[in-house]
Amino acid sequence: MKRSIYILATVLAVGCAIDMPDVYDPELRILFQPGVYSHIEQAESNRFTPDMTMGVCAWLLGEDESWQQNAGNATPYLSLSEAYCQDVTVQKGDSNISHTDKYWMVSDSTLWPATTETLTFLAYAPYEAHCGCDAVKGVTYTTNTLDSQVDLLYTTPHTERYKSSNGGIVQLLFDHALCCVNFRVKNRVTTDEKITLKRITIDEVHYKGSFASMCTPQWQLDEATTSLCFYEGAHTTQGLPEEVGESLLLLPQQLDTQMTVEWEYTTAAGTSIEQRLQTIPLNMVLNAGWGYTYTLSIGIDDVKFLKEIVEHRFK
């Protein structure tokens, strides 16, 4: 009996001395690597330069909570803050191998939460655009493109990110909220005649609007429209298309308007005739994130759309 009690006491003593191993939960800064979505594979995927900053915010979710079902109850973790680029040395996993690269960060003291918790991120760029950022409407923005030609970039929610993934580095993929339009021009006259382009104007364009990125990216356009000048000067046209004027950012919209083109036709004898004509109506949808190039062919007394090129990207 005494022997049995002694053995049992020994087992209990040993059991009390055994500790469960700690879960690996290191302190990690939140780092970002931004890239820009492209509609074609050949375009550069990352247009962020070290001088660019972005606005970013984050919400916290507990273990086994999804953003789709629990977004309304998510806890704000990172209020809207400016993230800037700097050289950061990071370590590869549990190894002693490290490397230095350019990452965007809010501050040295902004750390990931516990390993079992996740963060959902929203971001926009540039930071100076002064967008809003919340869990219901997403990235919000109001603009007048006549006053501001800001190429606004935004992300959809990057949901349920763990610090154990990719060493705490969040890959942020941005898209364009606006679209871009520019023009090319050629002439249809003989080599001893000349067409001098004076002005290109789209007659009616919406230029004010409000943007919200959630639930689906959408613009609410102001009813007001304006004429928009893309070129004004004195450009001697050639037989092959050449780019002229400005490449302008526009609100995504349905165009249903004419264009006005002004030019001077000079005959072989040196006499000149001033022309000002409106084109056929321009009916098409301008989609966010796309770049559109319109080519105008100018004759002695007419203007035609020779070809329309949708480039699927900004330049």
Side-chain angles (χ1 to χ4, degrees):
M1 184 65 180
K2 290 182 180 180
R3 181 177 176 83
S4 299
I5 294 174
Y6 174 77
I7 293 174
L8 179 59
T10 303
V11 171
L12 290 174
V14 172
C16 291
I18 296 175
D19 292 326
M20 295 299 294
D22 292 333
V23 175
Y24 182 64
D25 193 3
E27 287 191 346
L28 284 178
R29 289 174 294 181
I30 302 176
L31 302 176
F32 303 99
Q33 277 192 325
V36 180
Y37 178 77
S38 170
H39 289 279
I40 59 174
E41 295 180 359
Q42 292 81 1
E44 294 182 6
S45 61
N46 193 333
R47 294 181 51 195
F48 272 77
T49 56
D51 61 317
M52 292 179 65
T53 64
M54 60 186 177
V56 62
C57 54
W59 291 266
L60 178 73
L61 288 171
E63 189 173 9
D64 299 327
E65 290 183 332
S66 70
W67 176 259
Q68 184 175 4
Q69 295 178 344
N70 303 97
N73 299 319
T75 303
Y77 184 81
L78 175 64
S79 60
L80 184 56
S81 305
E82 183 176 16
Y84 54 92
C85 179
Q86 70 177 50
D87 292 328
V88 180
T89 300
V90 296
Q91 187 172 320
K92 271 193 165 183
D94 299 333
S95 69
N96 293 322
I97 302 174
S98 62
H99 73 280
T100 301
D101 204 346
K102 293 188 181 300
Y103 298 96
W104 276 252
M105 58 190 300
V106 174
S107 72
D108 289 331
S109 60
T110 307
L111 303 177
W112 281 91
T115 301
T116 56
E117 298 173 315
T118 67
L119 292 179
T120 292
F121 297 92
L122 278 175
Y124 73 88
Y127 180 74
E128 293 76 18
H130 302 298
C131 295
C133 194
D134 66 60
V136 177
K137 295 182 179 180
V139 175
T140 57
Y141 179 61
T142 299
T143 189
N144 177 336
T145 55
L146 297 183
D147 298 333
S148 175
Q149 283 282 294
V150 173
D151 183 9
L152 179 68
L153 304 172
Y154 71 96
T155 71
T156 56
H158 285 50
T159 62
E160 300 155 39
R161 302 303 166 96
Y162 290 90
K163 74 174 169 184
S164 57
S165 302
N166 200 31
I169 300 168
V170 182
Q171 308 285 342
L172 289 176
L173 189 58
F174 288 80
D175 206 345
H176 295 274
L178 299 169
C179 59
C180 183
V181 173
N182 69 329
F183 287 89
R184 301 194 306 172
V185 66
K186 69 177 290 292
N187 67 45
R188 288 180 286 108
V189 295
T190 62
T191 55
D192 56 352
E193 299 172 306
K194 185 170 72 170
I195 297 288
T196 304
L197 178 68
K198 298 296 185 67
R199 188 179 175 92
I200 299 175
T201 305
I202 294 182
D203 293 351
E204 292 184 64
V205 175
H206 292 281
Y207 61 97
K208 288 193 224 178
S210 299
F211 174 76
S213 66
M214 289 165 44
C215 294
T216 57
Q218 56 185 315
W219 280 93
Q220 296 294 328
L221 302 182
D222 191 275
E223 291 183 2
T225 62
T226 187
S227 62
L228 191 60
C229 180
F230 282 80
Y231 175 78
E232 186 169 25
H235 175 76
T236 302
T237 62
Q238 306 297 322
L240 295 175
E242 299 175 294
E243 289 191 8
V244 296
E246 296 185 84
S247 180
L248 296 178
L249 296 170
L250 299 184
L251 301 177
Q253 60 189 279
Q254 169 72 55
L255 287 181
D256 184 14
T257 181
Q258 293 175 297
M259 293 177 51
T260 300
V261 183
E262 300 175 40
W263 72 95
E264 181 181 67
Y265 165 63
T266 304
T267 68
T271 58
S272 295
I273 303 172
E274 297 286 338
Q275 300 280 21
R276 183 180 187 275
L277 292 178
Q278 287 183 310
T279 66
I280 60 173
L282 188 63
N283 294 307
M284 71 169 300
V285 176
L286 300 181
N287 293 300
W290 290 45
Y292 300 87
T293 297
Y294 296 101
T295 300
L296 301 176
S297 177
I298 304 177
I300 296 174
D301 57 3
D302 70 341
V303 178
K304 298 178 181 179
F305 285 109
L306 176 67
K307 189 177 181 181
E308 176 189 305
I309 301 174
V310 180
E311 296 200 14
H312 295 203
R313 63 173 177 19
F314 288 168
K315 292 186 177 180

